[in-house]
Amino acid sequence: MVGGLSCADYYIGSPHGGQLFVGGMGFEELLDQVGGFGPFQLRNVALLALPRILLPMNFLLPIFLAAVPAHHCVLPGAPANFSQDMWLEAHLPRESDGTLSSCFRFTYTQALPNTTLRGEGQSRGELQGEPSTVPCPQGWEYDHSEFSSTIATEVWAAPSAAGGLCECPGDGPGNCSLSQLHHVRHHPHPHWHSPGWLHHHRDATGWVPESARWLLTQGRVEEAHRYLLCCARLNGRPVGEDSLSLEALRKVAAAERVVRRPSYLDLLRTPRLRHISLCCMMVWFGVNFSYYGLSLDISGLGLNMYQTQLLFGAVELPAKLLVYLSVRHAGRRLTQAEMLLGAALTLGFRLLVPTDSAFCPEPSPPEKVYWSTALAVTGKGFSEAAFTTVYLFTSELYPTVLRQTGMGLTALVGRLGGSLAPLATLLDGVWLSLPKLTYGGIALLAACTALLLPETRKAQLPETIQDVEGKSLQEEQMPMKQVHD
């Protein structure tokens, strides 16, 4: 919707392929009188662009809000003659990769060589035997050098927030009692409040008028009349009350209410639209699933979280330029499939250069870290390019009468993929490489599905359902009109 008039208002008259007449004038001619695209529409585009620029920042906030900083069990204070490292060595066991445990501590303080440290209440036989460990009985201490506070530090900082005991933070929030999560939900940390610009999104969009055509279909003729007059005034196109009367608009509104409105079922009733809808839903799911999977998988890159996000954001600019060039020369379908395939391949190549401790007990060489980082950033660029292409491609596949309906359905399925992407990381409990295989496999399946869709480059946009279903017959009778990108 632009300037209170939907996109369809600019290039088609009736939502069902006919013409709307206002006092003997077609609706397209009416739009020409009030200004098809001028200052009024530009102002509304700017108002709609502001939240669209800022909103994606909110999508990735869980990376920072739900981060789990380095931590270990709460320990008694170290004596003055012991360093912090020695004190941790006496209380914390080591994992298989040689790092100190984050979730367990020794039952008894361990003796250290060349020190006078002895465990209280322990016999020499106990000191020489295999040390036993227990989960952290008094909670955890966190490293606050990178984050002052996160959801993890608030939920698991104390052993009991509301009568329950969470398991180790590294095990995930699913191991925390519902009472604790309820406590944190209703007693949030002051640092968790959303940035101020999030609260201005509603203000910005509240200044954008409703679609004039939608208002007419709802019988709100006076509001539509007011917006059309405002549009004409801001665009420098003075329109008098006589040329745009309420009586003429009421006739249009009455005619619009008689026509059957398109529904989501129309996307599945006919064969070709059903094929397009099912393929687009799969593509949207794969695009969102791989995009957020790559965005959230920032482990083993050798960079801190802020540097990683800076690189992930910077690579989106050349990715969009790549899409601009590719859709004009290779076409929409091949561009969509190639970008998804590129994202799948980078995920697969990252498995060949593992940097995770479970794969590499010893510290990874710098070359592997550099390659892993380069592959992750490249994969993020491909996934962003796929995301950009899918909006353009999908909007050109659906006819005008169902374009917004189809975009809404496919975007809904896409958001489902984005919601499931963080949960796929839990698969590393089964096999450490399974999350990457899942992200890459879904992206590869979506790439193959995109090849099943028709190409829309230089093709006239369909306006009605008949334009889509009877396309093959029309191509036999007369060539399709060629238009420029």
Side-chain angles (χ1 to χ4, degrees):
M1 184 178 70
V2 177
L5 305 172
S6 66
C7 295
D9 293 339
Y10 292 106
Y11 48 80
I12 186 171
S14 169
H16 294 271
Q19 284 280 339
L20 291 181
F21 289 93
V22 182
M25 181 188 301
F27 203 78
E28 289 180 332
E29 285 76 11
L30 174 64
L31 292 178
D32 289 336
Q33 282 202 2
V34 300
F37 194 80
F40 179 80
Q41 287 83 1
L42 288 173
R43 183 199 69 173
N44 293 326
V45 167
L47 289 173
L48 291 171
L50 178 61
R52 289 299 301 169
I53 292 172
L54 299 177
L55 191 59
M57 301 179 186
N58 194 41
F59 292 159
L60 298 178
L61 277 180
I63 295 177
F64 303 95
L65 295 182
V68 181
H71 55 278
H72 59 76
C73 298
V74 172
L75 304 176
N81 59 335
F82 280 89
S83 65
Q84 182 67 17
D85 292 340
M86 293 176 60
W87 194 244
L88 294 177
E89 190 75 29
H91 290 83
L92 303 177
R94 290 193 175 273
E95 302 289 354
S96 58
D97 59 357
T99 60
L100 293 174
S101 175
S102 299
C103 304
F104 295 91
R105 60 164 294 175
F106 290 122
T107 306
Y108 303 102
T109 304
Q110 301 299 293
L112 295 178
N114 301 324
T115 67
T116 58
L117 181 63
R118 292 292 183 270
E120 296 181 0
Q122 293 177 272
S123 66
R124 185 172 298 275
E126 289 175 327
L127 290 172
Q128 294 175 350
E130 182 70 23
S132 59
T133 60
V134 293
C136 303
Q138 296 178 330
W140 294 266
E141 293 181 5
Y142 292 89
D143 178 10
H144 295 286
S145 60
E146 191 171 10
F147 299 100
S148 60
S149 175
T150 69
I151 295 174
T153 62
E154 294 302 312
V155 172
W156 290 288
S160 177
L165 179 63
C166 282
E167 296 182 12
C168 181
D171 294 337
N175 295 320
C176 189
S177 66
L178 292 178
S179 59
Q180 276 192 299
L181 294 178
H182 182 271
H183 174 83
V184 176
R185 166 67 180 84
H186 293 281
H187 299 83
H189 193 279
H191 294 165
W192 296 355
H193 292 308
S194 301
W197 48 261
L198 287 176
H199 302 295
H200 297 296
H201 283 189
R202 184 176 178 180
D203 297 336
T205 56
W207 296 332
V208 179
E210 290 284 0
S211 166
R213 170 166 284 145
W214 182 82
L215 289 172
L216 291 175
T217 61
Q218 302 302 310
R220 296 158 62 177
V221 180
E222 291 79 6
E223 289 183 62
H225 183 251
R226 184 170 67 253
Y227 285 137
L228 288 171
L229 290 177
C230 177
C231 176
R233 183 174 64 255
L234 292 180
N235 287 340
R237 302 283 189 88
V239 178
E241 291 284 344
D242 296 335
S243 57
L244 185 62
S245 64
L246 285 173
E247 183 62 29
L249 290 179
R250 287 193 181 94
K251 294 179 180 179
V252 174
E256 277 290 280
R257 285 195 294 271
V258 173
V259 180
R260 184 181 67 87
R261 299 286 89 192
S263 69
Y264 287 102
L265 294 178
D266 293 324
L267 298 173
L268 303 174
R269 281 197 176 101
T270 54
R272 295 187 71 119
L273 269 178
R274 181 165 57 247
H275 172 80
I276 290 173
S277 297
L278 294 176
C279 290
C280 283
M281 285 190 285
M282 180 61 223
V283 171
W284 272 80
F285 183 91
V287 167
N288 280 263
F289 190 78
S290 59
Y291 177 86
Y292 288 105
L294 281 161
S295 300
L296 297 175
D297 184 15
I298 58 175
S299 60
L301 299 184
L303 301 172
N304 64 41
M305 195 170 296
Y306 302 101
Q307 292 171 332
T308 301
Q309 291 306 313
L310 179 61
L311 281 179
F312 279 3
V315 77
E316 295 193 3
L317 297 178
K320 292 184 183 297
L321 177 61
L322 176 63
V323 169
Y324 174 77
L325 297 175
S326 182
V327 295
R328 295 176 65 87
H329 297 91
R332 278 67 161 160
R333 179 176 58 183
L334 282 180
T335 299
Q336 186 71 73
E338 289 169 355
M339 299 308 153
L340 283 167
L341 179 61
L345 289 177
T346 54
L347 282 164
F349 287 142
R350 283 191 67 189
L351 294 176
L352 303 179
V353 285
T355 57
D356 299 288
S357 59
F359 284 115
C360 308
E362 300 297 328
S364 299
E367 294 79 9
K368 279 191 174 183
V369 176
Y370 296 152
W371 274 110
S372 181
T373 302
L375 288 171
V377 173
T378 304
K380 180 60 162 56
F382 277 123
S383 64
E384 167 59 27
F387 219 131
T388 303
T389 307
V390 76
Y391 276 99
L392 172 65
F393 193 21
T394 307
S395 66
E396 294 179 346
L397 288 169
Y398 283 109
T400 300
V401 297
L402 288 171
R403 185 161 294 125
Q404 294 305 315
T405 306
M407 291 291 292
L409 176 63
T410 53
L412 174 64
V413 176
R415 294 307 177 194
L416 176 63
S419 301
L420 293 177
L423 299 180
T425 59
L426 300 178
L427 296 174
D428 62 359
V430 179
W431 183 28
L432 195 61
S433 60
L434 191 54
K436 289 185 177 66
L437 284 176
T438 304
Y439 295 135
I442 295 295
L444 181 60
L445 180 60
C448 296
T449 306
L451 294 175
L452 301 177
L453 292 167
E455 178 57 66
T456 60
R457 176 173 172 261
K458 292 187 178 180
Q460 183 180 8
L461 295 180
E463 296 184 356
T464 65
I465 296 176
Q466 291 74 18
D467 290 342
V468 176
E469 296 301 324
K471 186 176 180 180
S472 59
L473 179 61
Q474 293 176 7
E475 288 174 345
E476 295 177 1
Q477 295 175 349
M478 58 180 296
M480 182 170 286
K481 177 183 176 182
Q482 299 291 307
V483 296
H484 297 290
D485 289 335

